[in-house]
């Protein structure tokens, strides 16, 4: 409602004075403030806040009258009455300074709007020069205790128990005095119960105030009793009657709220009692209390001292309270607590030390409630003085100004049907609307809001969406910042203060109205529109508020020229001018207005309600609007005073909704008028019993719907899917939270039960102050005060602190809250489960619906499980049964349990079911992450054996589904159970997995340099770059994971499960998953394959394996071009020539200087050696060049122009998804080739061949994965798999190497037979089904021939014996690994041996790297170079 912002401002007094001010009193319009010190009366102006005039009493007069004590203004601001200590009333005339006498004038820059020609501009912008003239003093001969200004009279109470009625002119008709003893007091006005109070002797009125709407005086007597005195006749005469407030004897001060007819008394206990006056009996009824709660203020709630002052804001929506011990606290009218300076950053410094609360001697609200003027007590003033030179201290006025921003609802309640929050401060607006993609113009967290630019400079203009009926969630909750719009300074300086503000439904247009005229702002253009003719602006004042309707601003105003109340509609898109407006004359002053669809409702000062219909017409160049009176309804019978009506709303809500199941056209009709009459919500429904006259039906007598209502929200939209929410009425009730008047619908159009009411009022509490309701999204939007401490910037000097040290910097934060769980719970409590289900199903698509369910379970569980008394009818089983209707049931229960303390679990699961059963349900539903959460529950509630059993189930399922993150957690969990680490349950695995499915995430943690490909395979080994960082995840500790406590049975058990899963994957030829599995879980793939070499790692059907790999790795089957028979590339010779041309045309440096990827230096050096020898490879290895140049890595794309295959293999053409990404690059490459390779003169057939090569490559990622697997199978000695992968990669060197190695006596004859038959099978299959493989098979024909010729008898079986001395492998060789590298059977290490006469090892670094690798056998970090 009201929010504190920024730091308070201290006002400086230009006059040097030793006296400190102690009292401030505002004039009726709050433009002037009278400030008293002991012998001085000063008048201050509001904007700018400057001293106008000061009257200093002479020493002689001061000794006669005594020091000043308090002051009162006459209603028309023409006089001030000052009470002096010796019983004198001093009357001062406030006299204008004559023509052109102004203390301050604004200075305009050249070219600004000519404000100076405006009639009366100076009175509105410049502080006038006033003078004070003292009239004859009035001696009342007794100390004055309080004063009160009425229209023509001044009421003064004195310490001798008299009430004096003085005339303001001080001369005519003398004065009257009423003795308090003569006023009869009783408990109510009907009977004289309590009779005359005989103990009024010696009692006087300590404080009093007048309530206009109750026509009486609220008084506090000096003995602490509270009363309300009513004059029986119109004028205050001797006929007075009083009523007591029963059982209160500690009253200290009083204030009244005219709008809500409330009388508030401060008490010595520190609480504020709020009374209403019963209209029938006249007795005082306690409405509610304003007091600090021990929950939120445990240190100070009972240490505040007596209430010192209560001040209601000018719009009567909030009350500010201060106590004897200091501090400020702000409450809404019905007790919602908004701000208190006795806690948090207001009370503590950033180092934790406590601050003394600021002590206040007087305070009052400024114009429209934008400022609170506060005078601190004498000691306080000395403390808060600026640390300046000594002479400057005399200039301290001791006046602080606190700045507030307030909700537009406080004065313009018609904005309650919008879904935006609109706050307005003195010179700026804060909005929640706007596109979240826009940069917010400024943040409320910015330390200096007064320097902010207005409305998002520099951000893109926002175009309002076509669907402007409701803003989406993303728009209204997209970001935490406010959209701050600076009000146009030209409008502000002549029309301050801003009194009304309104925003349209789409949140794109804002209108503000100040003292005269109005202005509006467009969010899309970021511009203000002001009246072009300033006279038109100054000749109207907005009286009843303003509202947007279909691009028009609807304004209820008073026309000064015609002296006429009018209703005007101005078109937003045209210039702001009366010629573009539609004007309707009204008979009486409009106090409130509101819009419902195409109808406007006005509440007028004669207590009548008018309904008008509006129509938008397109009959001219600009759209126009016509307004027609539909109906007038007199409410004077029900409304005692027009000022009591807080808001008026037209709505389609009516009580019989449940029966009729309204037709859509009926749902749009204006069926009811809802009035907030001083906190009572009154509804008048149309009377449909008589003849049905369209739109002019009479209204039934009013019905009271609710009490203590501050705001009402309703919408004119309809949505068949969310009828509960859109046809409900939402109420904000202060301390009591919120209420919703919810319609109840029969299910499936059945006839409703006769005993069911059609609507139900449900109360619920929320933690924020509601400012807007998002009807369909089941959200309440609000705002809250936040504070930032800056006291560390300026430490205390000379024992005093600056304002920045005393007060935190205040900001206003956007807040929102879900309320759906409260409503569902209330319905379930009332056995309306069917309605709850309908409502919940309509909201099930909301993104936070799971959270709603959790909250509902959690709140009920906390209440019931911690209750000290047995609950006769517990709600938790009902809630549990309700949630089972939704698929979220399992997640909701487990998430709620995890967020609840362990002690409450038994109670929870007694209601919802056994966690073991719920766990099994999760497994059946394949919801593994939820099942993992249930495992935590089981671990704490069951014995370890049960946990292990369920964990094993989950582990196996997770392995099967490839949920590696979960698998890692399960390994840790199982190990923890085994080692007895039951105290620390594992964390719930995150529901979002890392992107492990896309490719081996082993490449996060392994580094394999693939740039040597063919030649290093030929040389014998993949070059493993040595970056053996361990895989992430709790389980992957490398080799010591198992070795640390390898004797532990749990590790054996886990290892067994992992091996079983690996066997399963290999059996089903799921190599890609096997790679991921190994990488993610740190599984020792090579060691395991060595053991399984002759068992599951065999390949039975090469063709089937090849097909599976093609499918698994998205690798295209090779195709063959029509003219490939005559292709110059078929023997590979031309390709070598091409590479030699390449090397000659560029220097080696320019070829190999790729400085984009530093880690590749090692690879580059080895590249240089084998590139130089490429020419000697001869025509028998046509694919070596292909692979040799193909792996520069993704980083080297722009580095140099290697032969085309370099990039094209990276940007794979194999999968359809890659085509679009690569085509442009490939085109670019060809252009570069044309530039650089012009000497090569590639023919059309050559180009065609190269393009075919590109088409036969798979995705780059797959290529890397296949090469990695090739390396693994090589290491493990699984020759069949090496052949299969060699085939799919079409790597002749791999096939050649395997065939050469098959000669070795260590190879079992079954393997030789398997490779031979497998290759023959592939050849046969290629001949019939896949001709694309034929060129490659032709290329490796010599090896195949050699394999067929090899006689099986040549293999020596004894070579397999462990002690075979004739094995070449037993001795370390220069190109091969050393003997100590052995990690398993020797066979795995023998693979890389070069066959005699083959390629020599060019890279001498391989053996050392392999040696290191063998020692640290663990997870590899494969970074692609």
């Amino acid at each position: 409602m009201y929010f504190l912002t920024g730091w308070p401002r201290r006002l400086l007094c230009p006059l040097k004075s030793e006296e400190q001010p102690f009292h401030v009193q505002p004039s009726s319009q709050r433009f002037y403030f009278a400030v008293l010190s002991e012998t001085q009366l000063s008048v201050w102006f509001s904007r700018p806040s400057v001293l106008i005039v000061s009257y200093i009493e002479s020493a002689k007069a001061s000794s006669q009258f005594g020091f000043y004590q308090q002051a009162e203004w006459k209603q028309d601001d023409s006089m001030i009455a000052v009470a002096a200590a010796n019983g004198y009333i001093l009357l001062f005339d406030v006299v204008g300074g004559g023509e052109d006498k102004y203390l301050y004038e604004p200075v305009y820059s050249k070219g600004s709007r000519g404000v100076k020609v405006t009639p009366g501009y100076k009175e509105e912008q410049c502080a006038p020069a006033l003078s004070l003239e003292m009239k004859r003093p009035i001696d009342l001969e007794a100390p004055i205790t309080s004063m009160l200004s009425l229209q023509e009279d001044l009421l003064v109470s004195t310490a001798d128990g008299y009430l004096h009625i003085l005339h303001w002119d001080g001369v005519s008709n003398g004065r009257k005095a009423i003795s308090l003893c003569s006023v009869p007091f009783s408990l109510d006005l009907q009977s004289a119960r309590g009779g005359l109070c005989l103990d009024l002797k010696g009692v006087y009125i300590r404080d009093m105030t007048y309530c206009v709407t109750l026509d009486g005086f609220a008084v506090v007597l000096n003995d602490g009793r509270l009363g309300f005195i009513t004059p029986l006749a119109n004028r205050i005469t001797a006929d007075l009657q009083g009523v007591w407030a029963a059982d209160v004897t500690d009253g200290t001060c009083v204030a009244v709220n005219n709008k809500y007819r409330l009388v508030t008394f401060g008490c010595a206990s520190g609480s504020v009692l709020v009374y209403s006056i019963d209209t029938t009996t006249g007795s005082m009824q306690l409405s509610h209390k304003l007091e600090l709660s021990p929950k939120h203020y445990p240190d100070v709630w009972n240490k505040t001292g007596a209430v010192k002052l209560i001040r209601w804001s000018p719009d009567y929506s909030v009350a500010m309270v201060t106590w004897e011990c200091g501090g400020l606290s702000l409450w809404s009218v019905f007790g919602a607590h908004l701000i208190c300076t006795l806690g948090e950053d207001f009370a503590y410094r950033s180092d934790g030390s406590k601050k003394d609360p600021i002590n206040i001697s007087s305070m009052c609200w400024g114009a429209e409630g934008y400022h609170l003027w506060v005078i601190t007590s004498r000691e306080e003033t000395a403390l808060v003085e600026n640390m300046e030179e000594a002479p400057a201290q005399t200039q301290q006025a001791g006046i602080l100004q606190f700045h507030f921003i307030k909700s537009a609802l406080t004065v313009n309640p018609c904005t309650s049907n919008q879904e935006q929050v609109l706050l307005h401060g003195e010179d700026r607006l804060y909005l929640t609307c706007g596109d979240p993609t826009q940069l917010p113009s400024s943040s409320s967290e910015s330390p200096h809001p007064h320097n902010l630019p207005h409305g998002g400079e520099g951000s893109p203009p926002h175009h309002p969406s076509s669907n402007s009926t409701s803003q989406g969630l993303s728009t209204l909750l997209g970001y935490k910042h406010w959209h701050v719009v600076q009000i146009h300074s030209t409008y502000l300086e002549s029309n301050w203060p801003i009194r009304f503000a309104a925003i349209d439904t789409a949140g794109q247009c804002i209108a503000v109205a100040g003292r005269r005229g109005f202005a509006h702002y467009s969010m899309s253009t970021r511009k203000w529109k002001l009246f072009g003719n300033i006279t038109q602006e100054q000749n109207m004042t907005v009286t009843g508020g303003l509202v947007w309707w279909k691009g028009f601003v609807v304004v209820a105003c008073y026309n000064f020229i015609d002296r006429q109340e009018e209703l005007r509609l101005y078109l937003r898109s045209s210039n702001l001018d009366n010629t573009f407006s539609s004007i309707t004359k009204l008979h009486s002053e409009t106090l409130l207005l509101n819009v419902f669809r195409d109808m406007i409702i006005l509440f007028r000062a004669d207590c009548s309600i008018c309904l008008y219909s509006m129509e938008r017409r397109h009959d001219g160049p600009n759209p126009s609007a016509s307004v027609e009176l539909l109906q007038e309804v007199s409410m004077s019978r029900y409304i005692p005073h027009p000022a009591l009506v807080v808001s008026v709303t037209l709505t389609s809500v009516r009580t019989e909704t449940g029966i009729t199941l309204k037709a859509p056209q009926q749902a749009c009709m204006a069926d009811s008028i809802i009035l907030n009459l001083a906190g009572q919500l009154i509804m008048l429904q149309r009377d449909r019993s008589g003849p049905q006259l369209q739109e002019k039906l009479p209204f039934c007598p009013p019905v009271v719907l609710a009490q203590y209502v501050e705001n009402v929200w309703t919408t004119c939209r309809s949505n068949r899917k969310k009828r509960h929410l859109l046809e409900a009425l939402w109420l904000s009730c202060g301390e009591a939270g919120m209420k919703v008047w919810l319609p109840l619908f029969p299910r499936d159009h059945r006839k409703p039960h006769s005993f069911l009411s059609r609507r139900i009022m449900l109360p619920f509490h929320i933690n924020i102050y509601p400012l807007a309701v998002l009807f369909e999204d089941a959200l309440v939007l609000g705002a809250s005060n936040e504070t930032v401490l800056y006291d560390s910037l300026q430490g205390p000097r000379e024992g005093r602190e600056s304002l920045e040290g005393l007060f935190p910097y205040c900001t206003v934060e956007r807040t929102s809250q879900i309320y759906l769980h409260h409503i569902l719970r209330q319905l379930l409590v009332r056995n309306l489960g069917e309605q709850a289900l309908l409502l919940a199903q309509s909201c099930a698509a909301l993104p936070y619906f799971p959270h709603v369910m959790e909250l509902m379970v959690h709140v009920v569980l906390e209440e019931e499980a911690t209750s000290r008394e047995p609950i006769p009818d517990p709600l938790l089983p009902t809630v549990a049964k309700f949630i089972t209707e939704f698929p979220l049931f399992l997640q909701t229960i487990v998430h709620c349990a995890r967020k609840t303390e362990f002690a409450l679990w038994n109670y929870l699961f007694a209601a919802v079911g056994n966690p073991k059963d719920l766990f099994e349900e999760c497994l059946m539903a394949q919801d593994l992450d939820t099942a993992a959460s249930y495992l935590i529950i089981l671990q704490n509630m069951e014995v370890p054996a049960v946990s292990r059993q369920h964990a094993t189930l989950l582990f196996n399922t997770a392995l099967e589904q490839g949920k590696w993150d979960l698998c890692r957690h399960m390994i840790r969990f199982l190990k923890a159970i085994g080692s007895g680490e039951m105290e620390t349950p594992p964390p719930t695995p995150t529901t979002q997995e890392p992107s492990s499915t896309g490719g081996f995430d082993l490449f996060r943690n392994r580094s394999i340099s693939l740039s040597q490909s063919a030649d290093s395979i030929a040389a014998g080994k993949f070059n493993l770059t040595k970056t053996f960082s361990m895989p992430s995840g709790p389980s992957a500790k490398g080799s010591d994971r198992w070795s640390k406590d390898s004797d532990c049975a749990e590790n054996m058990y886990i290892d067994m499960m992992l091996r079983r899963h690996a066997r399963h994957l290999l059996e089903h030829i799921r190599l890609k998953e096997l790679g991921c599995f190994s990488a993610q879980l740190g599984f020792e793939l090579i060691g395991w394959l060595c053991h399984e070499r002759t068992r599951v790692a065999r390949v039975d059907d090469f063709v089937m394996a090849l097909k599976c790999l093609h499918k698994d790795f998205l690798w295209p089957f090779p195709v063959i071009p029509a003219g490939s028979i005559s292709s110059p590339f078929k023997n590979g010779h031309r390709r070598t020539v091409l590479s030699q041309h390449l090397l000659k045309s560029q220097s080696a440096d320019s070829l190999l200087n790729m400085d984009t990827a530093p880690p590749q230096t090692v690879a580059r050096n080895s590249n240089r050696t084998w590139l130089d020898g490429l020419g000697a490879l001869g025509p028998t290895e046509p694919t070596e060049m292909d692979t040799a140049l193909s792996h520069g890595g993704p980083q080297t794309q722009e580095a140099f122009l290697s032969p085309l295959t370099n990039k094209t293999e990276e940007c794979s053409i194999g999968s359809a998804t890659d085509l679009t990404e690569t085509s442009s690059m490939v085109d670019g490459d060809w252009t570069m080739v044309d530039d650089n390779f012009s000497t090569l003169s590639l023919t059309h057939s050559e180009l065609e061949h190269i393009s075919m090569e590109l088409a036969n490559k798979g995705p780059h990622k797959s290529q890397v994965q296949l090469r990695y697997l090739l390396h693994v199978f090589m290491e493990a000695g699984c020759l069949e798999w090496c052949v299969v992968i060699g085939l799919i990669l079409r790597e002749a060197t791999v096939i050649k190497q395997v065939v050469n190695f098959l000669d070795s006596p260590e190879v079992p004859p079954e393997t030789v037979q398997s490779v031979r038959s497998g290759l023959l099978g592939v050849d046969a299959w290629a001949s019939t089904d896949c001709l694309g493989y034929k060129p490659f098979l032709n290329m490796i024909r010599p090896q195949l021939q050699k394999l067929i010729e090899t006689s099986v008898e040549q293999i020596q079986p004894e070579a397999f014996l462990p002690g075979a001395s004739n094995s070449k492998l037993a001795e370390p060789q220069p190109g091969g690994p050393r003997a100590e590298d052995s990690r398993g059977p020797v066979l795995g290490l023998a693979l890389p041996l070069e066959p005699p006469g083959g390629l020599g090892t060019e890279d001498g670094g391989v053996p050392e790297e392999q040696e290191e690798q063998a020692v640290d056998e663990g997870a590899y970090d494969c970074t692609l170079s």
Side-chain angles (χ1 to χ4, degrees), residues 39 52 177 313 324 432 483 581 673 712 748 837 845 873 933 977 991 1005 1009 1041 1072 1096 1106 1114 1295 1399:
T39 63
I52 295 176
S313 64
E324 290 291 347
T432 57
H483 200 116
S581 69
I673 293 172
V712 186
D748 307 326
L837 197 59
D873 189 15
S933 295
I977 293 175
T991 47
N1005 306 315
S1009 169
R1041 191 187 70 192
K1072 189 166 190 170
V1096 78
L1106 201 56
L1114 300 176
I1295 310 292
L1399 287 168

Side-chain angles (χ1 to χ4, degrees), residues 654-662 671 685-686 688 758-759:
R654 63 173 191 260
T655 49
E656 71 272 11
T657 312
I659 307 172
T660 55
L661 277 169
K662 295 187 293 189
D671 272 317
Q685 292 192 85
R686 288 196 187 273
R688 298 189 180 273
R758 312 296 172 224
R759 280 182 174 268

Side-chain angles (χ1 to χ4, degrees), residues 991-1311:
T991 47
Q992 282 197 335
E993 284 202 21
S995 54
S996 56
T997 50
F1000 296 179
D1001 265 13
L1002 53 114
F1003 292 116
R1004 291 176 310 176
N1005 306 315
R1006 296 162 188 253
S1007 164
I1008 189 165
S1009 169
L1010 297 175
S1011 42
Q1012 288 87 0
S1013 71
D1015 128 280
S1016 41
I1017 291 170
K1021 280 266 186 204
F1022 271 72
N1023 179 14
L1024 277 150
T1025 332
K1026 189 69 185 107
T1027 51
F1028 287 104
S1029 62
M1030 293 303 166
S1032 57
S1035 66
K1037 299 277 188 297
S1039 56
D1040 18 299
R1041 191 187 70 192
W1042 311 113
S1043 61
K1044 189 171 74 174
D1045 41 359
S1046 52
D1047 54 341
C1048 169
E1050 213 56 56
N1051 280 349
M1052 300 282 287
Y1053 178 57
I1054 295 166
D1055 214 6
M1056 183 196 80
M1057 285 196 284
L1058 292 174
R1059 286 170 181 272
R1060 189 172 64 205
H1061 185 64
R1063 194 175 299 120
H1064 170 74
L1065 292 177
L1066 200 53
E1067 277 172 356
H1068 290 83
I1069 317 183
R1070 284 154 63 183
L1071 285 200
K1072 189 166 190 170
E1073 274 184 62
L1074 182 67
C1076 289
F1077 161 75
S1078 159
Q1080 294 283 349
L1081 303 184
F1083 179 69
E1084 273 306 329
L1085 195 53
I1086 296 176
W1088 175 76
L1089 284 171
C1090 288
H1091 290 119
E1092 298 288 340
R1093 187 190 301 141
T1094 55
R1095 293 192 287 273
V1096 78
R1098 301 285 304 273
V1099 182
D1100 298 326
D1101 184 345
F1102 273 56
V1103 174
M1104 175 61 72
L1106 201 56
K1107 286 179 179 174
C1108 285
L1109 288 191
H1110 273 290
K1111 182 180 174 186
D1112 219 6
F1113 288 93
L1114 300 176
W1115 200 269
F1117 284 99
V1119 289
I1120 190 162
S1124 68
I1125 315 304
S1126 58
S1127 167
F1129 279 85
K1130 67 174 184 238
N1131 59 0
H1133 174 68
R1134 186 61 184 267
R1135 194 171 306 196
T1136 314
V1137 174
L1138 180 133
S1139 62
Q1140 285 173 330
H1141 274 297
L1142 239 181
L1143 288 171
K1144 286 171 189 166
S1145 64
Q1146 307 247 0
S1147 73
D1149 286 342
S1150 64
L1151 251 177
L1152 298 162
N1153 248 347
M1154 310 182 235
D1155 38 332
T1156 49
Q1160 298 172 354
T1161 22
V1162 184
R1164 275 185 236 136
N1165 295 339
S1166 58
N1167 281 1
R1168 191 183 305 239
T1169 52
W1170 60 261
L1171 269 172
D1172 292 338
L1174 260 179
L1177 291 178
T1180 48
E1181 280 89 33
T1183 53
E1184 287 181 24
M1185 183 63 212
D1186 206 7
T1187 45
L1189 291 174
S1190 66
H1191 301 289
Q1195 304 97 317
T1196 62
Q1197 281 189 5
E1198 300 88 332
F1200 78 109
L1201 293 168
S1202 58
L1204 247 36
T1205 43
N1206 183 12
K1207 290 195 191 101
T1208 48
E1209 283 190 349
E1210 291 157 5
C1211 330
S1212 60
I1213 311 225
S1215 68
T1217 51
D1218 291 332
L1219 280 172
T1220 50
E1221 298 167 10
T1222 56
S1223 55
S1224 62
M1225 274 200 265
V1226 174
D1227 292 345
D1229 282 349
W1230 284 122
T1231 323
M1232 291 152 72
V1233 166
D1234 289 343
D1235 294 343
N1236 286 288
F1237 299 167
S1238 50
T1239 54
L1240 298 179
S1241 58
L1242 292 174
T1243 63
H1244 175 71
S1245 56
E1246 292 167 357
L1247 289 175
E1248 185 185 339
H1249 185 90
I1250 291 173
S1251 62
M1252 290 313 301
E1253 282 295 317
L1254 295 181
N1256 293 339
K1257 294 285 181 196
H1260 178 64
K1261 200 170 192 178
S1262 298
Q1263 186 175 347
V1264 173
Q1265 291 167 353
L1266 283 166
R1267 292 194 179 284
Y1268 174 76
L1269 285 172
L1270 176 62
H1271 160 75
V1272 168
F1273 284 120
M1274 277 282 190
E1275 287 277 313
C1278 302
L1279 300 183
E1280 292 111 312
W1281 276 114
C1282 294
V1283 170
V1284 174
I1285 298 174
L1287 281 171
I1288 195 170
L1289 289 173
R1290 299 200 299 291
E1291 292 275 10
T1293 42
V1294 174
I1295 310 292
K1296 178 180 176 184
Q1297 192 181 350
V1298 171
V1299 170
N1300 285 341
F1301 188 69
L1302 287 174
D1303 295 346
S1304 167
E1306 287 84 358
V1307 178
E1310 298 85 30
T1311 307

Side-chain angles (χ1 to χ4, degrees), residues 345-360:
D345 288 348
F346 287 100
Y348 296 93
R349 297 184 183 85
S350 49
D351 60 3
S353 58
K354 200 167 185 342
K355 293 187 241 187
D356 293 323
I358 180 168
N359 227 307
I360 291 164

Side-chain angles (χ1 to χ4, degrees), residues 36-148:
L36 291 184
S37 55
E38 289 169 348
T39 63
Q40 194 168 323
L41 166 66
S42 306
V43 177
W44 289 68
F45 196 55
S46 55
R47 178 185 168 94
S49 303
V50 290
L51 177 66
I52 295 176
V53 62
S54 198
Y55 178 93
I56 301 174
E57 196 66 79
S58 66
K60 181 183 174 186
S62 176
S63 60
Q64 178 193 347
F65 302 140
F67 289 151
Y68 295 166
Q69 287 181 322
Q70 49 184 315
E72 272 290 339
W73 287 80
K74 193 179 176 184
Q75 298 281 335
D76 62 1
D77 301 351
S78 62
M79 293 180 76
I80 301 174
V82 175
N86 294 345
Y88 284 89
I89 294 286
L90 311 176
L91 294 175
F92 292 87
D93 274 326
V94 181
V95 183
E99 272 305 305
D100 290 333
K101 291 193 177 172
Y102 293 95
L103 295 179
Y104 303 87
E105 289 194 15
V107 178
Y108 299 102
S109 59
K110 289 180 181 175
S112 65
R113 200 164 83 138
V115 183
K116 299 203 173 189
V117 299
T118 313
Y121 83 101
K122 291 200 165 170
E123 293 83 344
E124 288 154 358
Q125 304 172 57
C126 317
L130 304 176
S131 61
L132 293 171
E133 294 176 4
M134 184 171 160
K135 301 176 75 173
R136 186 172 61 85
I138 303 169
D139 185 6
L140 298 181
E141 299 168 0
I144 294 162
T145 56
S146 69
M147 285 198 307
L148 183 57

Side-chain angles (χ1 to χ4, degrees), residues 291-311:
E291 48 193 3
L292 297 179
S293 70
K295 180 183 173 187
H296 295 111
Y297 298 93
D299 301 341
V300 294
W301 69 277
N302 55 358
K303 300 188 182 73
T304 55
V307 176
K308 194 171 188 178
L309 296 166
I310 307 168
R311 294 287 181 263

